[in-house]
Amino acid sequence: MKKIYSSIFVALAMITVGQAQTVVTFEAESYHTAPVIENIGNHADWNSSGPAWHTDNDLAQIVNLKSNWARCVYSVPFKAEGTKNTVTARVTTKLGGDDSPFQDAEGFLLVAFQDTDAATGASNNTNRDGVIIKSTAVAGDKVFLGVQGSSAFETNPSISQADKSTYEIILEIEVGDSPENSNLRTRLSNLESGETSEVAEAKGINQATFDAINGDGAYLLLYTFNPFQGEDGTDYQITSLYVNEIVLDVIESSTLSVKNEKIADFKLYPNPVNNELRINSISQIQNVEIFDLLGKSVLSLNNVQDKVNVSSLKSALYIVRITTQNGVSTKKFIKN
């Protein structure tokens, strides 16, 4: 089983390397050794404030089981270089167990870029900028994202509180000529249903975050904490959460710009899939190509609308590459 995990990681890296992305899937052999299973901080690429964040060896993900004030930091810096002045993070997370309903108000996961790879220190928002995923019955049974940093959204991006399936958080920080002229943008999606929020934008980031991205680099922080005063004045309560994929990148210009919808990103559902794979893309799809884990193309289609019949594929993990007029993007999916 461990060799299969390693093969999956290598295949993903080969497909994404040309796009200057870093993909962390927790399927590599290095995440399944005894010290790392107990504490993600024992991995060479991570720092952790304690054993709360650890590896789920069966499902190839990292887990935090109801722990408070628990941080882990991906200790590889990301910085603006030349015209590439936007740092992005795409984090796929599952909120709680399948059979545990949402509470009226509960806090989940902070995803942010900060100026240090240290996983300790006082809780504040002066050296980091990001978003925290929350839910509340008072907000109309919505799951939504709120800013953690120096600015705020005019309206928090939200989707319906249908279930606790897999969610995708996209965070990007576009660095201008000053902290005040920089932008934080985000979007939230339910990967099972395909529901996607509007893009939300906040003007301004912290000086420390600005200096880090323009200097030695900023670091991805995953952080659970409580209490946190919600919109209804009620403290949010920590629940179990899982993170099974992280994609980090430094790009030339914004893809989530509310002024520019030229986004090459897309969504797949259902995943796993039996027969019909749905594709949700803002841009017109020019080509869909599916690869097995050896890099062999097993299906290629042009002028796809919004779905692909994959019933002829064997049960396995695949990589799908979507080409639009605005670029190329890849994701993985499981064929049942």
Side-chain angles (χ1 to χ4, degrees):
M1 185 61 72
K2 298 290 184 61
K3 292 182 179 179
I4 293 175
Y5 289 151
S6 298
S7 297
I8 292 171
F9 182 83
V10 171
L12 286 169
M14 289 173 60
I15 290 177
T16 59
V17 67
Q19 301 171 54
Q21 291 181 342
T22 295
V23 181
V24 184
T25 62
F26 308 109
E27 293 164 331
E29 183 79 19
S30 60
Y31 287 103
H32 297 272
T33 59
V36 177
I37 290 174
E38 282 85 28
N39 183 352
I40 189 67
N42 290 320
H43 192 281
D45 291 340
W46 289 85
N47 290 325
S48 176
S49 58
W53 283 100
H54 58 277
T55 301
D56 183 326
N57 197 32
D58 295 327
L59 299 178
Q61 58 194 4
I62 56 173
V63 182
N64 184 314
L65 298 177
K66 302 182 180 180
S67 296
N68 188 19
W69 306 107
R71 316 178 195 199
C72 61
V73 180
Y74 188 64
S75 57
V76 177
F78 285 79
K79 58 185 177 180
E81 296 180 354
T83 59
K84 295 185 176 182
N85 67 336
T86 300
V87 293
T88 72
R90 181 186 296 120
V91 176
T92 305
T93 183
K94 187 175 179 66
L95 308 176
D98 293 329
D99 57 352
S100 57
F102 282 107
Q103 300 177 30
D104 285 345
E106 57 185 328
F108 297 123
L109 175 68
L110 168 65
V111 177
F113 285 104
Q114 65 177 25
D115 66 345
T116 174
D117 66 347
T120 58
S123 175
N124 61 70
N125 294 316
T126 61
N127 73 325
R128 65 185 183 222
D129 287 271
V131 292
I132 182 170
I133 186 170
K134 315 173 189 175
S135 77
T136 175
V138 175
D141 291 326
K142 298 287 186 180
V143 178
F144 63 98
L145 297 174
V147 173
Q148 290 285 289
S150 67
S151 54
F153 296 134
E154 183 175 338
T155 302
N156 288 327
S158 64
I159 58 179
S160 63
Q161 195 184 92
D163 53 50
K164 284 193 171 180
S165 58
T166 304
Y167 292 83
E168 178 188 70
I169 301 166
I170 297 180
L171 165 69
E172 70 172 31
I173 297 177
E174 185 181 37
V175 182
D177 57 7
S178 68
E180 295 76 18
N181 291 330
S182 301
N183 299 294
L184 182 152
R185 300 186 184 95
T186 193
R187 189 179 68 190
L188 177 65
S189 302
N190 184 321
L191 294 185
E192 298 296 330
S193 69
E195 184 181 4
T196 301
S197 75
E198 297 294 325
V199 174
E201 180 177 271
K203 192 74 173 179
I205 61 174
N206 284 303
Q207 183 73 53
T209 311
F210 178 84
D211 292 341
I213 296 174
N214 283 298
D216 295 331
Y219 301 86
L220 179 73
L221 168 70
L222 302 179
Y223 187 17
T224 57
F225 60 102
N226 184 59
F228 183 87
Q229 289 294 319
E231 292 183 343
D232 57 346
T234 302
D235 288 348
Y236 287 84
Q237 303 298 317
I238 295 300
T239 188
S240 305
L241 58 90
Y242 311 80
V243 174
N244 57 18
E245 184 176 82
I246 297 169
V247 180
L248 295 162
D249 207 351
V250 182
I251 58 178
E252 187 169 335
S253 60
S254 168
T255 59
L256 288 182
S257 174
V258 295
K259 301 176 182 177
N260 177 13
E261 292 188 348
K262 291 184 176 180
I263 182 170
D265 193 25
F266 64 96
K267 291 177 180 53
L268 297 176
Y269 61 97
N271 190 6
V273 60
N274 292 317
N275 298 311
E276 194 172 78
L277 184 65
R278 294 275 179 173
I279 303 172
N280 182 355
S281 173
I282 294 176
S283 306
Q284 182 177 355
I285 300 171
Q286 298 173 341
N287 176 262
V288 175
E289 191 162 14
I290 297 175
F291 300 85
D292 64 18
L293 294 182
L294 297 178
K296 177 184 177 182
S297 176
V298 296
L299 184 64
S300 181
L301 299 169
N302 295 323
N303 301 317
V304 173
Q305 295 300 315
D306 59 358
K307 58 187 175 182
V308 174
N309 189 327
V310 295
S311 59
S312 63
L313 299 181
K314 297 178 180 179
S315 297
L317 179 64
Y318 293 92
I319 308 298
V320 59
R321 182 172 66 191
I322 305 295
T323 302
T324 73
Q325 61 181 357
N326 299 314
V328 178
S329 189
T330 61
K331 286 187 184 295
K332 62 179 181 177
F333 72 92
I334 298 173
K335 168 62 171 66
N336 281 334

